[in-house]
Amino acid sequence: MLAIVDFEDDKNSDKNYRYGTYCFGYVREKMNDKMFGIEDKVNYFQKTTWYVNGDRCGSASLESDTIMLYGSNVYILDAKYINME
């Protein structure tokens, strides 16, 4: 990861890194989840229910990239990767 960041900062570098993907945001999400995440994070996803004209309607979960537990605290990490080119 540091090699990628250092390379991207040096526009005059003669190195040619190949990442294997053009969608680095997904890679970053997986890295954060692997380093900080928990296995049962689906238990922390928020569910919503809507009532429209008396009918109950469910919707998709709000899914964060990573849920991290540290002591008695729960941290929600949501990675954002924006290509500025």
Side-chain angles (χ1 to χ4, degrees):
M1 179 69 171
L2 289 175
I4 293 170
V5 171
D6 289 340
F7 171 71
E8 288 295 331
D9 193 43
D10 185 5
K11 299 301 180 192
N12 297 320
S13 175
D14 59 352
K15 295 180 181 177
N16 185 11
Y17 283 99
R18 297 180 188 259
Y19 310 125
T21 182
Y22 291 106
C23 301
F24 191 69
Y26 297 116
V27 175
R28 177 170 284 187
E29 289 174 12
K30 293 293 183 186
M31 285 174 41
N32 283 347
D33 205 30
K34 183 75 172 173
M35 290 188 306
F36 304 112
I38 59 174
E39 288 187 23
D40 61 345
K41 70 179 181 179
V42 70
N43 295 332
Y44 290 85
F45 293 165
Q46 299 175 15
K47 302 274 187 194
T48 59
T49 303
W50 301 89
Y51 292 92
V52 179
N53 295 330
D55 294 329
R56 182 178 176 199
C57 305
S59 63
S61 297
L62 299 173
E63 298 183 11
S64 299
D65 297 333
T66 305
I67 303 293
M68 182 177 80
L69 302 179
Y70 185 72
S72 62
N73 297 316
V74 177
Y75 296 90
I76 299 170
L77 306 173
D78 198 52
K80 297 292 178 244
Y81 180 81
I82 301 170
N83 188 351
M84 300 301 285
E85 293 182 36

Coordinates of all heavy atoms in Angstrom, one line a residue:
M1 N 0.8 -1.2 0.0 CA 0.0 0.0 0.0 C 0.9 1.3 0.0 O 0.6 2.2 -0.7 CB -0.9 0.0 1.2 CG -1.8 1.1 1.3 SD -3.0 1.1 0.0 CE -4.1 2.4 0.5
L2 N 1.9 1.3 0.8 CA 2.8 2.4 0.9 C 3.5 2.6 -0.4 O 3.7 3.8 -0.9 CB 3.8 2.3 2.0 CG 3.2 2.5 3.4 CD1 4.2 2.2 4.5 CD2 2.6 3.8 3.6
A3 N 3.9 1.6 -1.1 CA 4.6 1.7 -2.4 C 3.7 2.3 -3.4 O 4.1 3.2 -4.2 CB 5.0 0.3 -2.9
I4 N 2.4 2.0 -3.4 CA 1.4 2.6 -4.3 C 1.3 4.1 -4.0 O 1.3 4.9 -4.9 CB 0.1 1.9 -4.2 CG1 0.2 0.5 -4.7 CG2 -1.0 2.7 -5.0 CD1 -1.0 -0.4 -4.4
V5 N 1.1 4.4 -2.7 CA 1.0 5.9 -2.4 C 2.2 6.6 -2.7 O 2.1 7.7 -3.3 CB 0.7 6.0 -0.9 CG1 0.7 7.4 -0.4 CG2 -0.7 5.4 -0.6
D6 N 3.4 6.1 -2.4 CA 4.7 6.8 -2.7 C 4.8 7.0 -4.3 O 5.2 8.0 -4.7 CB 5.9 6.1 -2.2 CG 5.9 6.2 -0.7 OD1 5.3 7.1 -0.1 OD2 6.6 5.3 0.0
F7 N 4.5 5.9 -5.0 CA 4.6 6.0 -6.5 C 3.6 7.0 -7.0 O 4.0 7.8 -7.9 CB 4.3 4.6 -7.1 CG 4.2 4.7 -8.6 CD1 5.3 4.9 -9.4 CD2 3.0 4.5 -9.2 CE1 5.2 4.9 -10.8 CE2 2.9 4.5 -10.6 CZ 4.0 4.7 -11.3
E8 N 2.4 7.1 -6.6 CA 1.4 8.0 -7.1 C 1.8 9.4 -6.8 O 1.4 10.3 -7.6 CB 0.0 7.7 -6.5 CG -0.6 6.4 -7.1 CD -0.9 6.5 -8.5 OE1 -1.2 7.6 -9.1 OE2 -0.9 5.4 -9.2
D9 N 2.6 9.7 -5.8 CA 3.0 11.0 -5.4 C 4.2 11.5 -6.3 O 4.5 12.7 -6.4 CB 3.3 11.1 -3.9 CG 3.4 12.5 -3.5 OD1 2.6 13.3 -3.9 OD2 4.4 12.8 -2.7
D10 N 4.9 10.5 -6.9 CA 6.1 10.9 -7.7 C 5.8 10.7 -9.1 O 6.0 9.6 -9.7 CB 7.3 9.9 -7.2 CG 8.6 10.3 -7.9 OD1 8.6 11.3 -8.7 OD2 9.6 9.6 -7.7
K11 N 5.4 11.8 -9.8 CA 5.0 11.7 -11.2 C 6.2 11.5 -12.1 O 6.1 11.2 -13.3 CB 4.3 13.0 -11.6 CG 3.0 13.2 -10.8 CD 2.0 12.0 -11.1 CE 0.7 12.2 -10.3 NZ -0.1 11.0 -10.2
N12 N 7.5 11.8 -11.6 CA 8.7 11.6 -12.4 C 9.3 10.2 -12.2 O 10.4 10.0 -12.8 CB 9.7 12.7 -12.1 CG 9.1 14.1 -12.4 OD1 8.5 14.3 -13.4 ND2 9.4 15.0 -11.5
S13 N 8.7 9.3 -11.5 CA 9.3 8.0 -11.3 C 9.3 7.2 -12.6 O 8.5 7.3 -13.4 CB 8.4 7.3 -10.2 OG 8.9 6.0 -10.1
D14 N 10.4 6.4 -12.7 CA 10.6 5.5 -13.9 C 10.0 4.1 -13.6 O 10.1 3.3 -14.4 CB 12.0 5.4 -14.3 CG 12.9 4.9 -13.2 OD1 12.4 4.7 -12.0 OD2 14.1 4.6 -13.5
K15 N 9.4 3.9 -12.4 CA 8.8 2.7 -12.1 C 7.4 2.5 -12.7 O 6.8 3.5 -13.0 CB 8.6 2.5 -10.5 CG 9.9 2.5 -9.8 CD 9.7 2.4 -8.3 CE 11.0 2.4 -7.6 NZ 10.9 2.3 -6.2
N16 N 7.0 1.3 -13.0 CA 5.8 1.0 -13.6 C 5.0 0.0 -12.8 O 5.2 -1.2 -12.9 CB 6.0 0.5 -15.0 CG 4.6 0.3 -15.8 OD1 3.6 0.7 -15.3 ND2 4.7 -0.3 -16.9
Y17 N 4.2 0.4 -11.8 CA 3.5 -0.5 -11.0 C 2.2 -1.0 -11.7 O 1.6 -0.2 -12.4 CB 3.1 0.2 -9.7 CG 4.2 0.3 -8.7 CD1 4.9 1.5 -8.5 CD2 4.5 -0.8 -7.9 CE1 5.9 1.6 -7.6 CE2 5.6 -0.7 -7.0 CZ 6.3 0.5 -6.9 OH 7.3 0.6 -6.0
R18 N 1.9 -2.2 -11.5 CA 0.7 -2.8 -12.0 C -0.1 -3.3 -10.8 O 0.3 -4.1 -10.0 CB 1.0 -3.9 -13.0 CG 1.7 -3.5 -14.2 CD 2.0 -4.6 -15.1 NE 2.9 -4.2 -16.2 CZ 2.5 -3.9 -17.4 NH1 1.2 -4.0 -17.7 NH2 3.4 -3.5 -18.3
Y19 N -1.4 -2.8 -10.7 CA -2.2 -3.1 -9.6 C -3.1 -4.3 -9.8 O -3.6 -4.9 -8.8 CB -3.0 -1.9 -9.2 CG -2.2 -0.6 -9.0 CD1 -2.5 0.5 -9.8 CD2 -1.1 -0.6 -8.2 CE1 -1.8 1.7 -9.7 CE2 -0.3 0.6 -8.1 CZ -0.7 1.7 -8.8 OH 0.1 2.8 -8.7
G20 N -3.4 -4.7 -11.0 CA -4.3 -5.8 -11.3 C -5.8 -5.3 -11.3 O -6.7 -6.2 -11.5
T21 N -6.1 -4.1 -11.1 CA -7.4 -3.6 -11.1 C -7.4 -2.1 -11.4 O -6.5 -1.4 -11.1 CB -8.2 -3.8 -9.8 OG1 -9.5 -3.4 -9.9 CG2 -7.5 -3.1 -8.6
Y22 N -8.5 -1.6 -12.0 CA -8.7 -0.2 -12.2 C -9.7 0.3 -11.2 O -10.1 1.5 -11.2 CB -9.2 0.1 -13.6 CG -8.1 -0.1 -14.7 CD1 -8.2 -1.3 -15.5 CD2 -7.0 0.7 -14.8 CE1 -7.2 -1.5 -16.4 CE2 -6.0 0.5 -15.7 CZ -6.1 -0.6 -16.5 OH -5.1 -0.9 -17.4
C23 N -10.3 -0.5 -10.4 CA -11.3 -0.2 -9.4 C -10.6 -0.3 -8.0 O -11.0 -1.2 -7.2 CB -12.5 -1.1 -9.5 SG -13.3 -1.0 -11.1
F24 N -9.7 0.6 -7.7 CA -9.0 0.5 -6.4 C -9.8 0.7 -5.2 O -9.5 0.3 -4.1 CB -7.8 1.4 -6.4 CG -6.8 1.2 -5.3 CD1 -6.1 0.0 -5.3 CD2 -6.7 2.1 -4.3 CE1 -5.2 -0.2 -4.3 CE2 -5.8 1.8 -3.2 CZ -5.1 0.6 -3.2
G25 N -11.0 1.3 -5.3 CA -11.8 1.6 -4.2 C -12.2 0.2 -3.6 O -12.3 0.1 -2.3
Y26 N -12.5 -0.8 -4.4 CA -12.9 -2.1 -3.8 C -11.7 -2.7 -3.1 O -11.9 -3.4 -2.1 CB -13.4 -3.0 -4.9 CG -14.6 -2.5 -5.6 CD1 -14.6 -2.2 -7.0 CD2 -15.8 -2.4 -4.9 CE1 -15.7 -1.7 -7.6 CE2 -17.0 -1.9 -5.6 CZ -16.9 -1.6 -6.9 OH -18.0 -1.1 -7.5
V27 N -10.5 -2.5 -3.6 CA -9.3 -3.1 -2.9 C -9.2 -2.4 -1.6 O -8.9 -3.1 -0.6 CB -8.1 -2.9 -3.8 CG1 -6.8 -3.3 -3.1 CG2 -8.2 -3.6 -5.1
R28 N -9.3 -1.1 -1.5 CA -9.2 -0.4 -0.3 C -10.2 -0.8 0.8 O -9.9 -1.0 1.9 CB -9.3 1.1 -0.5 CG -9.2 1.9 0.8 CD -9.1 3.3 0.6 NE -7.7 3.5 0.2 CZ -7.2 4.7 0.1 NH1 -7.9 5.8 0.3 NH2 -5.9 4.8 -0.2
E29 N -11.5 -1.0 0.3 CA -12.5 -1.5 1.2 C -12.1 -2.9 1.8 O -12.3 -3.1 3.0 CB -13.8 -1.6 0.5 CG -14.5 -0.3 0.1 CD -15.7 -0.4 -0.7 OE1 -16.2 -1.6 -0.9 OE2 -16.2 0.6 -1.3
K30 N -11.7 -3.8 1.0 CA -11.3 -5.1 1.4 C -10.1 -5.1 2.4 O -10.0 -5.8 3.4 CB -11.0 -6.0 0.3 CG -12.2 -6.3 -0.6 CD -13.2 -7.2 0.1 CE -14.3 -7.6 -0.7 NZ -15.4 -8.2 0.0
M31 N -9.1 -4.2 2.1 CA -8.0 -4.0 3.0 C -8.4 -3.5 4.4 O -8.0 -4.1 5.4 CB -7.0 -3.1 2.4 CG -6.2 -3.7 1.2 SD -5.1 -2.5 0.4 CE -4.4 -1.6 1.7
N32 N -9.3 -2.5 4.4 CA -9.7 -2.0 5.7 C -10.5 -3.1 6.5 O -10.3 -3.2 7.7 CB -10.6 -0.8 5.5 CG -9.9 0.5 5.2 OD1 -8.7 0.5 5.3 ND2 -10.6 1.5 4.7
D33 N -11.3 -3.8 5.7 CA -12.1 -4.9 6.4 C -11.2 -6.0 7.0 O -11.4 -6.5 8.0 CB -13.2 -5.4 5.4 CG -14.3 -6.0 6.2 OD1 -14.7 -5.5 7.3 OD2 -14.9 -7.0 5.6
K34 N -10.2 -6.3 6.2 CA -9.3 -7.4 6.6 C -8.5 -6.9 7.9 O -8.2 -7.7 8.8 CB -8.3 -7.7 5.5 CG -7.4 -8.8 5.8 CD -8.1 -10.2 5.8 CE -7.1 -11.3 5.9 NZ -7.7 -12.6 6.1
M35 N -8.0 -5.7 7.9 CA -7.2 -5.2 9.0 C -8.0 -4.8 10.2 O -7.5 -5.1 11.3 CB -6.4 -3.9 8.5 CG -5.4 -4.2 7.5 SD -4.3 -2.8 7.1 CE -5.5 -1.5 6.7
F36 N -9.2 -4.3 10.1 CA -9.9 -3.7 11.2 C -11.2 -4.4 11.5 O -11.8 -4.2 12.5 CB -10.2 -2.2 11.0 CG -8.9 -1.4 10.8 CD1 -8.7 -0.8 9.6 CD2 -8.0 -1.2 11.8 CE1 -7.6 -0.1 9.3 CE2 -6.9 -0.5 11.6 CZ -6.6 0.1 10.4
G37 N -11.8 -5.1 10.5 CA -13.1 -5.6 10.6 C -13.4 -6.8 11.4 O -12.4 -7.5 11.9
I38 N -14.6 -7.1 11.6 CA -15.1 -8.3 12.3 C -15.8 -9.2 11.4 O -16.3 -8.8 10.3 CB -16.0 -7.9 13.5 CG1 -17.2 -7.2 13.0 CG2 -15.2 -7.1 14.6 CD1 -18.2 -6.9 14.1
E39 N -15.9 -10.5 11.7 CA -16.5 -11.5 10.9 C -18.0 -11.4 10.8 O -18.6 -11.6 9.7 CB -16.2 -12.9 11.3 CG -14.7 -13.3 11.0 CD -14.4 -14.7 11.3 OE1 -15.3 -15.5 11.3 OE2 -13.2 -15.0 11.5
D40 N -18.7 -11.0 11.9 CA -20.2 -11.0 11.9 C -20.7 -9.5 11.7 O -21.7 -9.2 12.3 CB -20.7 -11.6 13.2 CG -20.2 -10.9 14.4 OD1 -19.3 -10.1 14.3 OD2 -20.8 -11.1 15.5
K41 N -20.1 -8.8 10.8 CA -20.5 -7.4 10.7 C -21.9 -7.2 10.2 O -22.5 -6.2 10.5 CB -19.5 -6.6 9.8 CG -19.6 -7.0 8.3 CD -18.6 -6.2 7.5 CE -18.7 -6.5 6.1 NZ -17.7 -5.7 5.3
V42 N -22.5 -8.2 9.6 CA -23.8 -8.1 9.1 C -24.8 -7.9 10.2 O -25.9 -7.3 10.0 CB -24.2 -9.4 8.2 CG1 -24.3 -10.6 9.1 CG2 -25.5 -9.1 7.5
N43 N -24.5 -8.3 11.4 CA -25.3 -8.1 12.6 C -25.4 -6.6 13.0 O -26.3 -6.3 13.8 CB -24.8 -8.9 13.8 CG -24.9 -10.4 13.5 OD1 -25.8 -10.9 12.8 ND2 -24.0 -11.2 14.1
Y44 N -24.5 -5.8 12.5 CA -24.5 -4.4 12.8 C -25.2 -3.5 11.8 O -25.3 -2.3 11.9 CB -23.1 -3.9 13.1 CG -22.5 -4.5 14.3 CD1 -21.9 -5.8 14.4 CD2 -22.6 -3.8 15.5 CE1 -21.4 -6.3 15.5 CE2 -22.0 -4.3 16.7 CZ -21.5 -5.6 16.7 OH -20.9 -6.1 17.8
F45 N -25.5 -4.1 10.6 CA -26.2 -3.3 9.6 C -27.5 -2.9 10.0 O -28.3 -3.7 10.5 CB -26.3 -4.1 8.3 CG -24.9 -4.4 7.6 CD1 -24.8 -5.4 6.7 CD2 -23.8 -3.8 8.0 CE1 -23.6 -5.7 6.1 CE2 -22.5 -4.1 7.4 CZ -22.5 -5.0 6.4
Q46 N -27.9 -1.6 9.7 CA -29.1 -1.1 10.1 C -30.2 -1.5 9.1 O -30.0 -1.4 7.9 CB -29.1 0.5 10.1 CG -28.1 1.0 11.1 CD -28.0 2.5 11.1 OE1 -28.8 3.2 10.5 NE2 -26.9 3.0 11.7
K47 N -31.3 -1.9 9.6 CA -32.5 -2.3 8.7 C -33.5 -1.2 8.9 O -33.7 -0.6 10.0 CB -33.1 -3.6 9.2 CG -32.1 -4.8 9.1 CD -32.1 -5.4 7.7 CE -31.2 -6.6 7.8 NZ -30.9 -7.1 6.5
T48 N -34.2 -0.9 7.9 CA -35.3 0.1 7.9 C -36.6 -0.6 7.5 O -36.7 -1.5 6.7 CB -35.0 1.3 7.0 OG1 -34.9 0.8 5.7 CG2 -33.8 2.0 7.5
T49 N -37.7 0.0 8.0 CA -39.0 -0.5 7.6 C -39.8 0.8 7.4 O -39.8 1.7 8.2 CB -39.7 -1.3 8.7 OG1 -38.9 -2.4 9.0 CG2 -41.0 -1.8 8.3
W50 N -40.6 0.8 6.3 CA -41.4 1.9 5.9 C -42.9 1.4 5.9 O -43.2 0.3 5.6 CB -41.1 2.4 4.5 CG -39.7 2.9 4.4 CD1 -38.6 2.2 4.1 CD2 -39.2 4.2 4.7 NE1 -37.5 2.9 4.1 CE2 -37.8 4.2 4.4 CE3 -39.8 5.4 5.1 CZ2 -37.0 5.3 4.6 CZ3 -39.0 6.5 5.2 CH2 -37.6 6.5 5.0
Y51 N -43.8 2.3 6.3 CA -45.2 2.0 6.3 C -45.8 3.1 5.3 O -45.8 4.3 5.6 CB -45.8 2.1 7.7 CG -45.3 1.0 8.6 CD1 -44.2 1.2 9.4 CD2 -46.0 -0.2 8.6 CE1 -43.8 0.2 10.2 CE2 -45.6 -1.2 9.4 CZ -44.5 -1.0 10.3 OH -44.0 -2.0 11.1
V52 N -46.4 2.5 4.2 CA -47.0 3.4 3.2 C -48.4 3.0 3.1 O -48.7 1.8 2.7 CB -46.2 3.3 1.9 CG1 -46.9 4.2 0.8 CG2 -44.8 3.7 2.1
N53 N -49.3 3.9 3.4 CA -50.8 3.6 3.3 C -51.1 2.3 4.1 O -51.9 1.5 3.6 CB -51.2 3.5 1.9 CG -51.1 4.8 1.1 OD1 -51.2 5.9 1.7 ND2 -50.9 4.7 -0.1
G54 N -50.5 2.1 5.2 CA -50.8 0.9 6.1 C -50.0 -0.3 5.7 O -50.1 -1.3 6.4
D55 N -49.3 -0.3 4.5 CA -48.6 -1.5 4.1 C -47.1 -1.4 4.6 O -46.5 -0.3 4.5 CB -48.6 -1.6 2.6 CG -49.9 -1.9 2.0 OD1 -50.7 -2.6 2.7 OD2 -50.2 -1.4 0.9
R56 N -46.6 -2.5 5.1 CA -45.2 -2.5 5.6 C -44.3 -2.8 4.5 O -44.5 -3.8 3.7 CB -45.1 -3.6 6.7 CG -43.7 -3.7 7.3 CD -43.7 -4.7 8.4 NE -42.3 -4.8 8.8 CZ -41.8 -5.8 9.5 NH1 -42.6 -6.8 9.8 NH2 -40.6 -5.8 9.9
C57 N -43.3 -2.0 4.3 CA -42.3 -2.2 3.2 C -40.9 -2.2 3.8 O -40.6 -1.3 4.6 CB -42.4 -1.0 2.2 SG -44.0 -0.8 1.5
G58 N -40.1 -3.2 3.5 CA -38.8 -3.3 4.0 C -37.8 -2.7 2.9 O -38.2 -2.5 1.8
S59 N -36.7 -2.3 3.3 CA -35.7 -1.8 2.3 C -34.3 -2.5 2.6 O -34.1 -3.1 3.6 CB -35.6 -0.3 2.4 OG -35.1 0.1 3.6
A60 N -33.4 -2.2 1.8 CA -32.0 -2.8 1.9 C -31.4 -2.2 3.2 O -31.7 -1.1 3.7 CB -31.2 -2.4 0.7
S61 N -30.4 -3.0 3.7 CA -29.6 -2.5 4.8 C -28.7 -1.4 4.4 O -28.3 -1.3 3.3 CB -28.7 -3.7 5.3 OG -29.5 -4.7 5.8
L62 N -28.4 -0.5 5.4 CA -27.3 0.4 5.2 C -26.0 -0.3 5.6 O -25.8 -0.6 6.8 CB -27.6 1.7 6.1 CG -28.9 2.4 5.9 CD1 -29.0 3.5 6.9 CD2 -28.8 3.0 4.5
E63 N -25.2 -0.6 4.6 CA -24.0 -1.4 4.9 C -22.8 -0.6 4.9 O -22.4 -0.1 3.8 CB -24.0 -2.5 3.8 CG -25.2 -3.4 3.8 CD -25.1 -4.6 2.8 OE1 -24.0 -4.8 2.3 OE2 -26.1 -5.3 2.6
S64 N -22.1 -0.6 6.0 CA -20.8 0.1 6.1 C -19.7 -0.9 5.6 O -19.9 -2.1 5.6 CB -20.5 0.5 7.5 OG -21.5 1.4 8.0
D65 N -18.6 -0.4 5.1 CA -17.5 -1.2 4.7 C -17.0 -2.1 5.8 O -16.7 -3.3 5.6 CB -16.4 -0.4 4.1 CG -16.9 0.4 2.9 OD1 -17.8 -0.1 2.2 OD2 -16.3 1.4 2.6
T66 N -16.8 -1.5 6.9 CA -16.1 -2.2 8.0 C -16.7 -1.8 9.4 O -17.0 -0.6 9.6 CB -14.6 -1.8 8.1 OG1 -14.0 -2.1 6.8 CG2 -13.8 -2.6 9.1
I67 N -16.9 -2.8 10.2 CA -17.3 -2.6 11.6 C -16.1 -3.0 12.5 O -15.7 -4.1 12.3 CB -18.6 -3.4 12.0 CG1 -19.7 -3.1 11.0 CG2 -18.9 -3.2 13.4 CD1 -20.3 -1.7 11.2
M68 N -15.6 -2.1 13.3 CA -14.5 -2.4 14.2 C -14.9 -2.3 15.6 O -15.6 -1.4 16.0 CB -13.3 -1.5 13.9 CG -12.1 -1.7 14.7 SD -10.7 -0.6 14.3 CE -11.2 0.8 15.3
L69 N -14.6 -3.3 16.4 CA -14.8 -3.3 17.8 C -13.5 -3.1 18.5 O -12.5 -3.7 18.2 CB -15.4 -4.7 18.3 CG -16.7 -5.1 17.6 CD1 -17.2 -6.4 18.1 CD2 -17.8 -4.0 17.8
Y70 N -13.5 -2.1 19.5 CA -12.3 -1.8 20.2 C -12.7 -1.5 21.7 O -13.4 -0.5 21.9 CB -11.5 -0.7 19.6 CG -10.2 -0.4 20.3 CD1 -9.1 -1.2 20.1 CD2 -10.1 0.7 21.1 CE1 -7.9 -1.0 20.7 CE2 -8.9 1.0 21.8 CZ -7.8 0.1 21.6 OH -6.6 0.3 22.2
G71 N -12.4 -2.5 22.6 CA -12.9 -2.3 23.9 C -14.4 -2.5 23.9 O -15.0 -3.4 23.3
S72 N -15.1 -1.5 24.5 CA -16.6 -1.6 24.5 C -17.2 -0.6 23.4 O -18.4 -0.4 23.4 CB -17.1 -1.1 25.9 OG -16.7 0.2 26.2
N73 N -16.3 -0.1 22.6 CA -16.8 0.8 21.5 C -16.9 0.1 20.2 O -16.2 -0.8 19.9 CB -15.8 1.9 21.3 CG -15.7 2.8 22.6 OD1 -16.7 3.1 23.2 ND2 -14.4 3.1 23.0
V74 N -17.9 0.6 19.4 CA -18.1 0.1 18.0 C -17.8 1.3 17.1 O -18.3 2.4 17.2 CB -19.6 -0.3 17.8 CG1 -19.8 -0.7 16.4 CG2 -20.0 -1.4 18.8
Y75 N -16.9 1.0 16.1 CA -16.5 2.0 15.1 C -17.0 1.6 13.8 O -16.9 0.4 13.4 CB -15.0 2.2 15.1 CG -14.5 2.7 16.4 CD1 -14.1 1.9 17.4 CD2 -14.3 4.1 16.6 CE1 -13.6 2.4 18.6 CE2 -13.9 4.6 17.8 CZ -13.5 3.7 18.8 OH -13.0 4.2 20.0
I76 N -17.5 2.5 13.0 CA -18.0 2.3 11.7 C -17.0 3.0 10.7 O -16.9 4.2 10.8 CB -19.4 2.8 11.5 CG1 -20.4 2.1 12.4 CG2 -19.9 2.7 10.0 CD1 -21.7 2.7 12.5
L77 N -16.4 2.2 9.9 CA -15.4 2.7 8.9 C -16.1 2.5 7.5 O -16.5 1.5 7.1 CB -14.1 1.9 8.9 CG -13.5 1.8 10.3 CD1 -12.3 0.9 10.3 CD2 -13.1 3.2 10.8
D78 N -16.1 3.6 6.8 CA -16.7 3.6 5.4 C -15.6 4.2 4.5 O -15.4 5.4 4.5 CB -18.0 4.3 5.4 CG -18.8 3.9 4.2 OD1 -19.0 2.7 3.9 OD2 -19.2 4.8 3.4
A79 N -14.9 3.4 3.7 CA -13.8 3.9 2.9 C -14.4 4.6 1.7 O -15.4 4.1 1.1 CB -13.0 2.7 2.4
K80 N -13.8 5.7 1.4 CA -14.1 6.4 0.1 C -12.9 6.5 -0.7 O -11.8 7.0 -0.2 CB -14.7 7.8 0.4 CG -16.0 7.8 1.2 CD -17.1 7.2 0.3 CE -18.4 7.1 1.1 NZ -18.9 5.8 1.3
Y81 N -12.9 6.2 -1.9 CA -11.8 6.3 -2.8 C -12.3 7.1 -4.0 O -13.2 6.7 -4.7 CB -11.2 5.0 -3.2 CG -10.0 5.1 -4.2 CD1 -8.8 5.4 -3.7 CD2 -10.2 5.0 -5.6 CE1 -7.7 5.5 -4.5 CE2 -9.1 5.2 -6.4 CZ -7.9 5.4 -5.9 OH -6.8 5.6 -6.7
I82 N -11.7 8.3 -4.2 CA -12.1 9.1 -5.3 C -10.9 9.3 -6.2 O -9.9 9.8 -5.8 CB -12.6 10.5 -4.8 CG1 -13.8 10.3 -3.8 CG2 -13.0 11.4 -5.9 CD1 -14.2 11.5 -3.1
N83 N -11.1 9.0 -7.5 CA -10.1 9.2 -8.5 C -10.1 10.7 -8.9 O -11.1 11.1 -9.5 CB -10.3 8.3 -9.7 CG -9.1 8.3 -10.6 OD1 -8.2 9.1 -10.5 ND2 -9.1 7.4 -11.6
M84 N -9.1 11.4 -8.7 CA -9.0 12.8 -8.9 C -8.5 13.2 -10.3 O -8.2 14.3 -10.6 CB -8.2 13.5 -7.9 CG -8.8 13.3 -6.5 SD -10.4 13.9 -6.3 CE -10.2 15.7 -6.2
E85 N -8.3 12.2 -11.2 CA -7.7 12.5 -12.5 C -8.8 13.0 -13.5 O -9.9 12.7 -13.5 CB -7.1 11.2 -13.1 CG -5.9 10.8 -12.3 CD -5.2 9.6 -12.9 OE1 -5.2 9.5 -14.1 OE2 -4.7 8.8 -12.1

